[in-house]
Amino acid sequence: MLMPGPLELAIIGLILAVPLVVVVGVVVAVVASRSRGGGPAGNLIPCPDCGRMVSPHAVQCPQCGRPMQVSSPPPVGDSP
Ligand SMILES: [Zn+2]
């Protein structure tokens, strides 16, 4: 009977662990890249008028000057 020694067990462990680490790394990288939005524009939003990608924090479009209004809820609860 041949009993595997600790060195052989370590080698077998490495052979089994290396592909597992690679697969997990690839899956994590794919999930991380998908969760970013999957676009080169990042967080930019297109201007409704000229289509230029504008930062959502911009007050107005730097190209055409259109005011970039963030969707604000209409005033409610002020009617008698
Ligand atoms: Zn614009």
Side-chain angles (χ1 to χ4, degrees):
M1 276 287 295
L2 284 175
M3 294 293 292
L7 183 64
E8 289 164 324
L9 284 177
I11 292 173
I12 292 172
L14 274 176
I15 291 172
L16 292 178
V18 167
L20 186 67
V21 169
V22 170
V23 168
V24 169
V26 169
V27 169
V28 167
V30 168
V31 170
S33 66
R34 282 184 181 178
S35 64
R36 285 177 192 164
N43 291 329
L44 297 179
I45 54 176
C47 172
D49 275 9
C50 65
R52 179 192 169 100
M53 300 307 288
V54 186
S55 168
H57 302 291
V59 179
Q60 64 182 21
C61 175
Q63 182 162 302
C64 67
R66 185 190 198 278
M68 304 296 292
Q69 293 179 349
V70 185
S71 60
S72 57
V76 292
D78 201 13
S79 58

